[in-house]
Amino acid sequence: QVQLVESGGGLVQPGGSLRLSCAASGSIGSFARMGWYRQAPGKQSELVATIISGGTTNYADTVKGRFTISRDNSKETVYLQMNSLKPEDTAVYYCNALRLIPTPSDNWGQGTQVTVSS
């Protein structure tokens, strides 16, 4: 059973920064892809950023140039550095980890709230 625990959310003013962390219960090197998704009130969940096992990253157009996804294999943790935050970034952010072998599984954390407001 994979466990993902997010932290780092909170209230920040527009233009501010936050760093989200996602700590995994196992080796993050075993995951084919890890990423962050978010869901704002009344809206569908959307992909924010992903990082695959080879290190290639992908970002939603709305966060390109402002957010950076990274990982520290020694700490089994994936990060999302969020800069120049906007009110429209307000959402619950979820960590996701996709494992393909030995058994495919799509794993989610419990979410962390990010609120951008003055």
Coordinates of all heavy atoms in Angstrom, one line a residue, residues 37-94:
Y37 N -1.8 17.6 -8.8 CA -3.1 18.0 -9.4 C -3.7 19.0 -8.4 O -3.4 19.0 -7.2 CB -4.0 16.8 -9.6 CG -3.5 15.9 -10.7 CD1 -2.4 15.1 -10.6 CD2 -4.2 15.8 -12.0 CE1 -1.9 14.2 -11.6 CE2 -3.7 15.0 -13.0 CZ -2.6 14.2 -12.8 OH -2.2 13.4 -13.8
R38 N -4.7 19.7 -8.9 CA -5.4 20.6 -8.0 C -6.9 20.7 -8.4 O -7.3 20.4 -9.5 CB -4.8 22.0 -8.0 CG -5.0 22.8 -9.4 CD -4.2 24.1 -9.3 NE -4.4 24.8 -10.5 CZ -3.7 26.0 -10.8 NH1 -2.9 26.5 -9.9 NH2 -3.9 26.6 -11.9
Q39 N -7.7 21.0 -7.4 CA -9.1 21.1 -7.6 C -9.6 22.3 -6.8 O -9.5 22.4 -5.6 CB -9.9 19.9 -7.2 CG -11.4 19.9 -7.6 CD -12.1 18.6 -7.5 OE1 -11.6 17.7 -6.8 NE2 -13.2 18.4 -8.2
A40 N -10.2 23.3 -7.6 CA -10.7 24.5 -7.0 C -12.2 24.2 -6.8 O -12.9 23.4 -7.4 CB -10.5 25.7 -7.9
P41 N -12.8 25.0 -5.8 CA -14.3 24.8 -5.6 C -15.1 25.0 -6.8 O -14.9 25.9 -7.6 CB -14.6 25.9 -4.6 CG -13.3 26.2 -3.9 CD -12.2 26.0 -5.0
G42 N -16.0 24.0 -7.1 CA -16.9 24.1 -8.2 C -16.2 23.8 -9.6 O -16.8 23.9 -10.6
K43 N -15.0 23.4 -9.6 CA -14.2 23.1 -10.8 C -13.7 21.7 -10.8 O -13.6 21.0 -9.8 CB -13.1 24.1 -11.0 CG -13.5 25.5 -11.2 CD -12.3 26.4 -11.5 CE -12.7 27.8 -11.7 NZ -11.6 28.7 -12.1
Q44 N -13.4 21.2 -12.0 CA -12.9 19.9 -12.2 C -11.4 19.9 -11.8 O -10.7 20.9 -11.8 CB -13.0 19.4 -13.6 CG -14.4 19.1 -14.0 CD -14.5 18.5 -15.4 OE1 -13.7 18.7 -16.3 NE2 -15.5 17.6 -15.6
S45 N -10.9 18.7 -11.4 CA -9.5 18.5 -11.1 C -8.7 18.8 -12.4 O -9.1 18.4 -13.5 CB -9.3 17.1 -10.6 OG -7.9 16.9 -10.4
E46 N -7.5 19.4 -12.2 CA -6.7 19.6 -13.3 C -5.2 19.3 -12.9 O -4.8 19.5 -11.8 CB -6.7 21.1 -13.8 CG -6.3 22.1 -12.8 CD -6.2 23.5 -13.3 OE1 -6.2 23.7 -14.6 OE2 -6.1 24.5 -12.5
L47 N -4.5 18.9 -14.0 CA -3.1 18.6 -13.8 C -2.3 19.9 -13.6 O -2.5 20.8 -14.3 CB -2.6 17.8 -15.0 CG -1.1 17.4 -15.0 CD1 -0.9 16.1 -15.7 CD2 -0.2 18.4 -15.6
V48 N -1.4 19.9 -12.7 CA -0.5 21.0 -12.5 C 0.9 20.8 -13.0 O 1.4 21.6 -13.8 CB -0.4 21.4 -11.0 CG1 0.5 22.6 -10.7 CG2 -1.8 21.7 -10.4
A49 N 1.5 19.7 -12.6 CA 2.8 19.4 -13.0 C 3.1 17.9 -12.8 O 2.6 17.3 -11.9 CB 3.9 20.2 -12.3
T50 N 4.0 17.3 -13.6 CA 4.4 15.9 -13.5 C 5.9 15.8 -13.7 O 6.5 16.7 -14.4 CB 3.7 15.0 -14.4 OG1 4.0 15.4 -15.8 CG2 2.2 14.9 -14.2
I51 N 6.4 14.8 -13.1 CA 7.8 14.4 -13.3 C 7.9 12.9 -13.5 O 7.4 12.2 -12.7 CB 8.7 15.0 -12.2 CG1 10.2 14.7 -12.4 CG2 8.3 14.4 -10.8 CD1 11.1 15.5 -11.5
I52 N 8.6 12.5 -14.6 CA 8.7 11.0 -14.8 C 10.0 10.5 -14.2 O 10.9 11.3 -13.8 CB 8.5 10.7 -16.3 CG1 9.7 11.3 -17.1 CG2 7.2 11.2 -16.8 CD1 9.7 10.8 -18.6
S53 N 10.1 9.2 -14.3 CA 11.3 8.6 -13.6 C 12.6 9.0 -14.2 O 13.6 9.1 -13.6 CB 11.2 7.1 -13.7 OG 11.0 6.6 -15.0
G54 N 12.6 9.4 -15.5 CA 13.8 9.9 -16.1 C 14.1 11.4 -15.8 O 15.2 11.8 -16.2
G55 N 13.2 12.0 -15.2 CA 13.4 13.4 -14.7 C 12.7 14.5 -15.6 O 12.7 15.6 -15.2
T56 N 12.1 14.0 -16.7 CA 11.4 15.0 -17.6 C 10.2 15.6 -16.8 O 9.5 14.8 -16.2 CB 11.0 14.3 -18.9 OG1 12.2 13.9 -19.6 CG2 10.3 15.3 -19.8
T57 N 10.0 16.9 -17.0 CA 8.9 17.5 -16.3 C 7.9 18.0 -17.3 O 8.2 18.3 -18.5 CB 9.3 18.7 -15.4 OG1 10.1 19.6 -16.2 CG2 10.2 18.2 -14.3
N58 N 6.7 18.2 -16.8 CA 5.6 18.8 -17.7 C 4.7 19.6 -16.8 O 4.5 19.3 -15.6 CB 4.7 17.6 -18.2 CG 3.6 18.1 -19.1 OD1 3.9 18.8 -20.1 ND2 2.4 17.7 -18.8
Y59 N 4.3 20.8 -17.4 CA 3.5 21.7 -16.6 C 2.2 22.2 -17.4 O 2.2 22.2 -18.6 CB 4.3 23.0 -16.3 CG 5.5 22.7 -15.5 CD1 6.8 22.5 -16.1 CD2 5.5 22.8 -14.1 CE1 7.9 22.2 -15.3 CE2 6.6 22.6 -13.3 CZ 7.8 22.3 -13.9 OH 8.9 22.0 -13.2
A60 N 1.2 22.5 -16.6 CA 0.0 23.1 -17.2 C 0.4 24.5 -17.7 O 1.3 25.2 -17.1 CB -1.1 23.2 -16.2
D61 N -0.2 25.0 -18.8 CA 0.2 26.3 -19.3 C 0.0 27.4 -18.3 O 0.7 28.4 -18.3 CB -0.7 26.6 -20.5 CG -0.2 25.7 -21.7 OD1 0.9 25.2 -21.7 OD2 -1.0 25.6 -22.7
T62 N -1.0 27.2 -17.4 CA -1.4 28.2 -16.4 C -0.3 28.4 -15.3 O -0.3 29.4 -14.6 CB -2.7 27.9 -15.7 OG1 -2.6 26.6 -15.2 CG2 -3.8 28.0 -16.7
V63 N 0.6 27.5 -15.2 CA 1.6 27.6 -14.2 C 3.1 27.6 -14.7 O 4.0 27.8 -13.9 CB 1.5 26.4 -13.1 CG1 0.1 26.4 -12.6 CG2 1.9 25.1 -13.7
K64 N 3.2 27.4 -16.0 CA 4.6 27.5 -16.6 C 5.3 28.8 -16.2 O 4.7 29.8 -16.4 CB 4.5 27.3 -18.1 CG 4.3 25.9 -18.6 CD 4.3 25.8 -20.1 CE 4.1 24.4 -20.5 NZ 3.9 24.3 -22.0
G65 N 6.5 28.6 -15.8 CA 7.3 29.8 -15.5 C 7.2 30.2 -14.1 O 7.9 31.1 -13.6
R66 N 6.1 29.7 -13.4 CA 5.9 30.1 -12.0 C 6.1 28.9 -11.0 O 6.6 29.1 -9.9 CB 4.5 30.6 -11.8 CG 4.2 31.8 -12.7 CD 2.8 32.4 -12.3 NE 1.7 31.5 -12.6 CZ 0.8 31.1 -11.7 NH1 0.9 31.6 -10.4 NH2 -0.2 30.3 -12.0
F67 N 5.7 27.7 -11.4 CA 5.8 26.5 -10.6 C 7.0 25.6 -11.1 O 7.3 25.6 -12.3 CB 4.6 25.7 -10.6 CG 3.4 26.4 -10.0 CD1 3.4 27.7 -9.6 CD2 2.2 25.6 -9.8 CE1 2.3 28.3 -9.0 CE2 1.1 26.2 -9.2 CZ 1.1 27.5 -8.8
T68 N 7.6 24.9 -10.1 CA 8.7 24.0 -10.4 C 8.5 22.7 -9.6 O 8.4 22.8 -8.4 CB 10.0 24.6 -10.1 OG1 10.2 25.8 -10.9 CG2 11.1 23.6 -10.5
I69 N 8.4 21.6 -10.4 CA 8.3 20.3 -9.7 C 9.7 19.7 -9.6 O 10.5 19.8 -10.6 CB 7.3 19.4 -10.4 CG1 7.1 18.1 -9.6 CG2 7.8 19.0 -11.8 CD1 5.9 17.2 -10.1
S70 N 10.0 19.1 -8.5 CA 11.3 18.4 -8.3 C 11.2 17.3 -7.4 O 10.1 17.1 -6.7 CB 12.3 19.4 -7.8 OG 12.0 19.9 -6.5
R71 N 12.2 16.5 -7.3 CA 12.2 15.3 -6.4 C 13.5 15.1 -5.7 O 14.6 15.4 -6.3 CB 11.7 14.1 -7.1 CG 12.7 13.6 -8.1 CD 12.2 12.4 -8.9 NE 13.3 11.9 -9.8 CZ 13.0 11.0 -10.8 NH1 11.8 10.6 -11.0 NH2 14.0 10.6 -11.5
D72 N 13.5 14.5 -4.5 CA 14.7 14.2 -3.8 C 14.5 12.7 -3.5 O 13.8 12.3 -2.5 CB 14.8 15.0 -2.5 CG 16.1 14.8 -1.8 OD1 16.7 13.7 -2.0 OD2 16.5 15.6 -1.0
N73 N 15.2 11.9 -4.3 CA 15.0 10.4 -4.1 C 15.5 10.0 -2.7 O 15.0 9.0 -2.1 CB 15.8 9.6 -5.1 CG 15.1 9.7 -6.5 OD1 14.0 10.3 -6.6 ND2 15.8 9.2 -7.5
S74 N 16.5 10.7 -2.1 CA 17.1 10.3 -0.8 C 16.1 10.5 0.3 O 16.1 9.8 1.3 CB 18.4 11.0 -0.6 OG 18.1 12.4 -0.4
K75 N 15.1 11.4 0.1 CA 14.1 11.7 1.1 C 12.8 11.2 0.7 O 11.8 11.4 1.4 CB 14.0 13.2 1.3 CG 15.3 13.9 1.9 CD 15.1 15.4 2.1 CE 16.4 15.9 2.7 NZ 16.2 17.4 2.9
E76 N 12.7 10.5 -0.5 CA 11.4 9.9 -1.0 C 10.4 11.0 -1.0 O 9.2 10.8 -0.7 CB 10.9 8.8 -0.1 CG 12.0 7.7 0.3 CD 12.6 7.0 -0.9 OE1 12.2 7.2 -2.0 OE2 13.4 6.1 -0.6
T77 N 10.7 12.2 -1.5 CA 9.8 13.3 -1.5 C 9.8 14.0 -2.8 O 10.9 14.2 -3.5 CB 10.2 14.3 -0.4 OG1 10.2 13.6 0.9 CG2 9.3 15.5 -0.3
V78 N 8.7 14.5 -3.2 CA 8.5 15.3 -4.4 C 8.0 16.7 -4.0 O 7.2 16.7 -3.0 CB 7.5 14.7 -5.4 CG1 7.2 15.6 -6.5 CG2 8.0 13.4 -5.9
Y79 N 8.5 17.7 -4.6 CA 8.2 19.1 -4.2 C 7.5 19.8 -5.3 O 7.6 19.5 -6.5 CB 9.4 19.8 -3.8 CG 10.2 19.2 -2.7 CD1 11.3 18.4 -3.0 CD2 9.9 19.4 -1.4 CE1 12.1 17.8 -2.0 CE2 10.7 18.8 -0.4 CZ 11.7 18.0 -0.7 OH 12.5 17.4 0.3
L80 N 6.7 20.8 -5.0 CA 6.2 21.8 -5.9 C 6.4 23.1 -5.4 O 5.8 23.6 -4.4 CB 4.7 21.5 -6.1 CG 4.0 22.4 -7.2 CD1 4.6 22.0 -8.6 CD2 2.5 22.4 -7.2
Q81 N 7.4 23.8 -6.0 CA 7.7 25.2 -5.6 C 6.8 26.1 -6.4 O 6.8 26.1 -7.7 CB 9.2 25.5 -5.9 CG 9.6 27.0 -5.7 CD 9.5 27.3 -4.2 OE1 10.0 26.5 -3.3 NE2 9.0 28.4 -3.8
M82 N 6.0 26.9 -5.7 CA 5.1 27.8 -6.4 C 5.4 29.2 -6.1 O 5.4 29.7 -4.9 CB 3.6 27.5 -5.8 CG 3.2 26.0 -6.0 SD 1.5 25.7 -5.5 CE 1.6 26.1 -3.8
N83 N 5.7 30.0 -7.1 CA 6.1 31.4 -7.0 C 5.1 32.2 -7.8 O 4.3 31.7 -8.6 CB 7.5 31.6 -7.6 CG 8.6 30.8 -6.9 OD1 8.5 30.6 -5.7 ND2 9.6 30.4 -7.6
S84 N 5.1 33.5 -7.5 CA 4.2 34.5 -8.1 C 2.7 34.0 -8.1 O 2.0 34.0 -9.1 CB 4.6 34.7 -9.6 OG 5.9 35.2 -9.6
L85 N 2.3 33.5 -6.9 CA 1.0 33.0 -6.8 C -0.1 34.0 -7.1 O 0.0 35.2 -6.8 CB 0.8 32.4 -5.4 CG 1.5 31.0 -5.2 CD1 1.7 30.7 -3.7 CD2 0.7 29.9 -5.9
K86 N -1.2 33.5 -7.7 CA -2.3 34.3 -8.0 C -3.6 33.7 -7.3 O -3.6 32.5 -7.0 CB -2.6 34.2 -9.5 CG -1.4 34.6 -10.4 CD -1.6 34.4 -11.9 CE -0.4 34.7 -12.7 NZ -0.7 34.5 -14.2
P87 N -4.6 34.6 -7.2 CA -5.8 34.1 -6.5 C -6.4 32.8 -7.2 O -7.0 32.0 -6.6 CB -6.8 35.3 -6.6 CG -5.8 36.5 -6.6 CD -4.6 36.0 -7.4
E88 N -6.2 32.8 -8.5 CA -6.8 31.6 -9.3 C -6.0 30.3 -9.0 O -6.4 29.3 -9.5 CB -6.8 31.9 -10.8 CG -5.6 32.5 -11.4 CD -5.6 34.0 -11.5 OE1 -6.0 34.7 -10.5 OE2 -5.1 34.5 -12.5
D89 N -4.9 30.4 -8.3 CA -4.2 29.2 -7.9 C -4.8 28.6 -6.6 O -4.4 27.5 -6.2 CB -2.7 29.5 -7.6 CG -1.9 30.0 -8.8 OD1 -2.1 29.4 -9.9 OD2 -1.2 30.9 -8.7
T90 N -5.8 29.2 -6.1 CA -6.4 28.7 -4.9 C -7.1 27.4 -5.2 O -7.9 27.3 -6.1 CB -7.4 29.7 -4.3 OG1 -6.8 30.9 -3.9 CG2 -8.2 29.1 -3.2
A91 N -6.8 26.4 -4.4 CA -7.3 25.0 -4.7 C -6.8 24.1 -3.6 O -5.9 24.4 -2.9 CB -6.9 24.5 -6.1
V92 N -7.3 22.9 -3.6 CA -6.7 21.8 -2.9 C -5.8 21.1 -3.8 O -6.2 20.7 -5.0 CB -7.8 20.8 -2.4 CG1 -7.1 19.6 -1.6 CG2 -8.8 21.5 -1.4
Y93 N -4.5 20.9 -3.4 CA -3.5 20.3 -4.2 C -3.3 18.9 -3.8 O -3.1 18.6 -2.6 CB -2.2 21.1 -4.1 CG -2.3 22.4 -4.9 CD1 -3.1 23.5 -4.5 CD2 -1.5 22.6 -6.1 CE1 -3.1 24.6 -5.2 CE2 -1.6 23.7 -6.8 CZ -2.4 24.8 -6.4 OH -2.5 25.9 -7.1
Y94 N -3.3 18.0 -4.7 CA -3.1 16.5 -4.5 C -1.9 16.0 -5.1 O -1.6 16.3 -6.3 CB -4.3 15.8 -5.0 CG -5.6 16.1 -4.4 CD1 -6.4 17.1 -4.9 CD2 -6.1 15.4 -3.2 CE1 -7.7 17.4 -4.3 CE2 -7.3 15.8 -2.6 CZ -8.1 16.7 -3.2 OH -9.3 17.1 -2.6

